[in-house]
Amino acid sequence: MKILVTVKRVEDPEIKIKLKPDGSGIEAADMKYVVNPFDEIAVEEALRLRDQAGGEVVVACLGPQEANAQLRTTLAMGADRGVHVVVAGACDPSMAARTLAKVIGDEKPDLVLLGKQAIDDDAGQVGARVAEHLGWGQVTFASKEASLESAAEKEKKPAFSLQQGKLEVVREVDGGIETLRVQLPAVVTTELRLNTPRYASLPGIMKAKKKEIKELSLAGLALDDRIEVKVLQMAAPAGRQGGAKVADVAALLDKLRHEAKVL
Amino acid sequence: MSNVLLFIEHAHGSMRKSAQSLLRFAQEVTQKSGGKIYAVMVGHGLEAAAKEARQLGITTLYTVDAPALAQPLADTYATAVCAAQKACDASLVAAASSSTAKDFLPRVAVRLGAGMASDVLSVVAADTFVRPMWAGNVLATVQLCTPTKVCTVRPTDFAAAPLGQNSCATEALAYVPSPGATKVEFVALKEVKSERPDVTTAERIVSCGRGIKSAEGFKLIEQLADTLHAGVGASRAVCDAGWVANDLQIGQTGKIVAPNLYVAVGISGAIQHLAGMKGSKTIVAINKDPEAPIFAVADYGLVADLFVAVPELDKALKA
Ligand SMILES: Cc1cc2nc3c(=O)[nH]c(=O)nc-3n(C[C@H](O)[C@H](O)[C@H](O)COP(=O)(O)OP(=O)(O)OC[C@H]3O[C@@H](n4cnc5c(N)ncnc54)[C@H](O)[C@@H]3O)c2cc1C
Ligand SMILES: Nc1ncnc2c1ncn2[C@@H]1O[C@H](COP(=O)(O)O)[C@@H](O)[C@H]1O
């Protein structure tokens, strides 16, 4: 099976986001960048599927030249090769989806895995947009029933089962767990509980240096950089006045009853 | 004219409460843009839920009712909602943020050539909205630059608009499947059955973190929640460990809640968790680490061992 996984370069979720004073964006100084955590999960699942059924895992990214580092990280995890559409300027979910759909159309994988959400724009749109552009079926929020601390997860088996060209996928929905069956080729987006991604090993990192990353441009793909969602201004949320402590349970109850009046 | 079309969700024959928050959003938009508010309900066997939705005080309620729509699937629901968009020539299609809306609305956006804003928090103009980025660390004002626009809306940020006495006209639209409709089949749904209030609408929530140590520790949380008639929530760590159902996760990548009372027990207060609950009216934190970041957002912090404090609180409430 040929699997394509999308990989976005995002700010490290462990580092505090600081706004530029004029609200035009966030501070890049002292920032570290990582593979979007949901995309790491997608790469892990793709590797498990490949290692069980054979095939190839291609990673694809749309982003600045520096995003090469994040593609390299996923190659070090074990992906086979990369495609990098280099763009310097602003991007939105529509532009990302149009571009990735074009790359996917050229690569013709059997399965495309994306994160359910990029933790910078928190949009949660690109997976379903890509599926619509391609006219493929989709399963969003792919997960599994066994917990991440279960014995089943430790075996590192794929969570999806393939039968007669159809993939059966468990997904998280409001109020429960749903199972869908989707015809390949298909688009699947990943939830947090799908798997625990592996770290890149030292030999993996060495090998990744020699793996191919093909660089493309929007012009080369005959695509434009039209943005549909324009960010006009960024602001910090109103802070919350917290920090007060109570001495014991009795004092807490008293406050809740007589000050906050919530009981 | 710029009409607004709302996607109204329903479950077990009732309209979801989030519809009233969505209506408030639409009222704010049409105040700025003019235009009428329409709504669409999609599913199979919609009579009872549609009756409730007719009280939203909108122009027309479209229903798209067919056996193939009994379970929400992205392609079929996108087709149904696009039919309604065409019927009322809506320039804005909106839905309350939910797993269903997040699944199919981006497909609607592509079909309509529409820019889409996810998780709208407030309305600036008919084409300009405020939405969160980076786990709510940034509130971005975004403008949708396309003739037709799509939004998901955070119900917690729009007060429920009241239902009216009069019911509006209903128009049934035919469901004409797209060629891709059969690519995905529904297999099964395991619903998490709970007698407790749903976290997204609960007035009170007791929420737990890794501090509860095991599924056993969760029993203390359930007990306190029942005494308070509260819903139960959890941090990612607790869901990942499999101690509670996944759909209880609150935060950036889970549910967004804003109850009257949020009791955070054994939760450290990572930014990703705060993103889902800092809109709560009163926040209580119980944590044994006085330096835990959760205390910075808590109105009432209690530095204590939860295995002592929670049973004590439960007993005192019952007394
Ligand atoms: C991409 C991404 C998305 C994420 N999305 C979410 C999300 O949506 N929601 C979410 O919650 N997290 C999310 N996280 C995870 C988040 O960063 C934190 O790791 C998580 O919230 C920590 O959970 P916790 O507070 O339960 O655990 P910990 O951080 O381990 O905290 C446990 C707390 O319990 C206290 N404690 C321990 N024992 C006791 C005791 N006996 N009595 C009292 N207190 C005790 C400790 O002092 C500590 O403060 C996300 C992370 C990433 C990278
Ligand atoms: N610029 C990009 N490059 C590669 N993948 C992307 C890009 N933008 C979004 N994606 C993918 O789409 C998913 C959802 O992103 P979003 O819709 O922006 O929240 C991410 O987890 C990525 O897998």
Side-chain angles (χ1 to χ4, degrees):
Chain A
M1 182 154 46
K2 178 167 173 180
I3 306 168
L4 186 140
V5 186
T6 57
V7 171
K8 190 177 189 188
R9 168 187 171 89
V10 297
E11 288 73 16
D12 185 336
E14 303 290 331
I15 297 179
K16 192 162 166 41
I17 300 289
K18 290 198 204 92
L19 274 166
K20 288 189 185 153
D22 65 355
S24 64
I26 60 164
E27 290 284 5
D30 303 325
M31 184 47 73
K32 284 205 194 74
Y33 295 86
V34 297
V35 175
N36 181 40
F38 288 95
D39 300 347
E40 269 186 327
I41 294 170
V43 170
E44 174 65 33
E45 201 60 33
L47 296 175
R48 291 181 187 189
L49 281 163
R50 180 199 64 189
D51 294 346
Q52 187 186 62
E56 186 188 22
V57 174
V58 181
V59 283
C61 172
L62 173 69
Q65 195 65 56
E66 293 81 359
N68 183 279
Q70 281 65 47
L71 276 176
R72 236 5 119 193
T73 302
T74 59
L75 294 176
M77 286 171 74
D80 298 295
R81 61 185 174 86
V83 179
H84 185 180
V85 184
V86 182
V87 286
C91 181
D92 72 354
S94 149
M95 178 176 151
R98 289 193 315 265
T99 309
L100 293 168
K102 182 77 172 34
V103 170
I104 293 160
D106 294 341
E107 286 283 343
K108 299 186 179 52
D110 304 294
L111 177 65
V112 175
L113 290 171
L114 307 90
K116 83 157 178 180
Q117 152 182 359
I119 62 159
D120 51 359
D121 68 12
D122 282 335
Q125 296 181 21
V126 174
R129 277 183 177 272
V130 163
E132 180 64 28
H133 281 299
L134 297 166
W136 294 2
Q138 74 183 50
V139 181
T140 50
F141 322 136
S143 186
K144 70 171 162 226
E145 289 193 67
S147 92
L148 292 180
E149 295 180 6
S150 67
E153 166 62 17
K154 304 229 156 65
E155 288 174 29
K156 302 207 170 291
K157 293 242 175 66
F160 316 146
S161 67
L162 182 65
Q163 274 157 15
Q164 286 143 7
K166 290 185 178 178
L167 205 62
E168 198 164 289
V169 181
V170 167
R171 63 192 292 259
E172 289 184 25
V173 295
D174 295 346
I177 290 273
E178 188 179 63
T179 306
L180 298 181
R181 201 176 291 134
V182 62
Q183 189 183 307
L184 295 181
V187 168
V188 173
T189 76
T190 58
E191 241 315 334
L192 294 168
R193 254 78 56 181
L194 183 59
N195 61 48
T196 305
R198 71 194 64 184
Y199 293 106
S201 65
L202 198 55
I205 294 168
M206 298 311 291
K207 264 196 226 158
K209 290 188 175 150
K210 294 199 200 80
K211 288 180 182 171
E212 178 204 7
I213 295 180
K214 185 161 72 184
E215 287 196 0
L216 302 171
S217 67
L218 288 176
L221 290 166
L223 293 170
D224 59 32
D225 59 357
R226 174 172 44 92
I227 293 283
E228 295 179 348
V229 185
K230 207 187 307 168
V231 178
L232 303 180
Q233 179 75 17
M234 292 191 190
R240 219 192 136 93
Q241 199 65 37
K245 299 249 170 67
V246 292
D248 53 25
V249 165
L252 174 61
L253 268 181
D254 182 65
K255 292 279 192 192
L256 291 178
R257 286 196 171 121
H258 303 114
E259 193 177 85
K261 298 192 168 61
V262 287
L263 292 182
Chain B
M1 276 296 278
S2 39
N3 294 337
V4 178
L5 175 70
L6 304 178
F7 171 73
I8 305 296
E9 273 192 68
H10 56 91
H12 308 296
S14 304
M15 177 175 81
R16 282 205 192 273
K17 273 194 194 159
S18 60
Q20 287 171 259
S21 300
L22 184 60
L23 177 61
R24 171 84 63 185
F25 160 84
Q27 289 167 344
E28 291 185 14
V29 171
T30 50
Q31 264 166 24
K32 297 189 197 299
S33 69
K36 293 188 181 131
I37 304 173
Y38 295 79
V40 59
M41 208 172 235
V42 183
H44 186 47
L46 291 173
E47 292 77 17
K51 199 167 164 216
E52 287 180 50
R54 281 208 292 275
Q55 292 183 309
L56 286 169
I58 49 178
T59 303
T60 304
L61 173 70
Y62 298 108
T63 54
V64 192
D65 192 321
L69 301 170
Q71 302 295 336
L73 294 172
D75 179 84
T76 62
Y77 270 47
T79 301
V81 168
C82 285
Q85 184 274 335
K86 205 168 161 204
C88 63
D89 195 23
S91 56
L92 175 63
V93 179
S97 296
S98 71
S99 58
T100 300
K102 288 175 177 173
D103 185 47
F104 83 89
L105 264 189
R107 291 191 87 123
V108 170
V110 172
R111 286 185 203 185
L112 301 175
M116 172 169 169
S118 307
D119 290 314
V120 166
L121 305 174
S122 65
V123 178
V124 178
D127 63 351
T128 307
F129 308 96
V130 175
R131 60 170 305 266
M133 295 173 77
W134 289 284
N137 279 305
V138 171
L139 301 184
T141 305
V142 300
Q143 184 179 23
L144 300 181
C145 310
T146 47
T148 311
K149 300 157 187 65
V150 171
C151 291
T152 55
V153 174
R154 268 209 187 154
T156 47
D157 285 76
F158 293 88
L163 295 178
Q165 298 300 321
N166 303 325
S167 62
C168 71
T170 313
E171 196 179 321
L173 298 176
Y175 169 63
V176 184
S178 79
T182 53
K183 290 184 177 169
V184 182
E185 297 156 61
F186 170 80
V187 178
L189 174 65
K190 268 197 207 167
E191 281 188 87
V192 180
K193 295 247 160 51
S194 171
E195 301 293 307
R196 296 193 186 87
D198 176 49
V199 280
T200 55
T201 48
E203 287 290 308
R204 296 169 179 174
I205 294 174
V206 180
S207 194
C208 55
R210 208 195 308 264
I212 64 166
K213 299 222 161 52
S214 67
E216 199 58 31
F218 183 60
K219 297 211 173 103
L220 294 177
I221 302 300
E222 288 183 296
Q223 225 165 51
L224 178 61
D226 289 344
T227 305
L228 284 167
H229 307 291
V232 169
S235 72
R236 173 186 173 182
V238 171
C239 296
D240 281 5
W243 299 338
V244 305
N246 294 336
D247 88 315
L248 297 184
Q249 181 184 311
I250 288 168
Q252 177 193 15
T253 57
K255 299 241 162 76
I256 309 296
V257 302
N260 253 331
L261 175 64
Y262 188 91
V263 185
V265 182
I267 293 177
S268 61
I271 186 78
Q272 292 86 3
H273 188 79
L274 302 185
M277 47 63 78
K278 65 183 176 194
S280 305
K281 193 160 157 274
T282 299
I283 298 176
V284 172
I286 302 177
N287 196 304
K288 68 176 181 189
D289 172 10
E291 303 299 323
I294 189 76
F295 286 125
V297 301
D299 302 287
Y300 305 110
L302 177 60
V303 180
D305 182 346
L306 73 90
F307 294 96
V308 178
V310 170
E312 195 184 326
L313 180 59
D314 186 53
K315 200 165 148 220
L317 281 165
K318 281 180 179 144

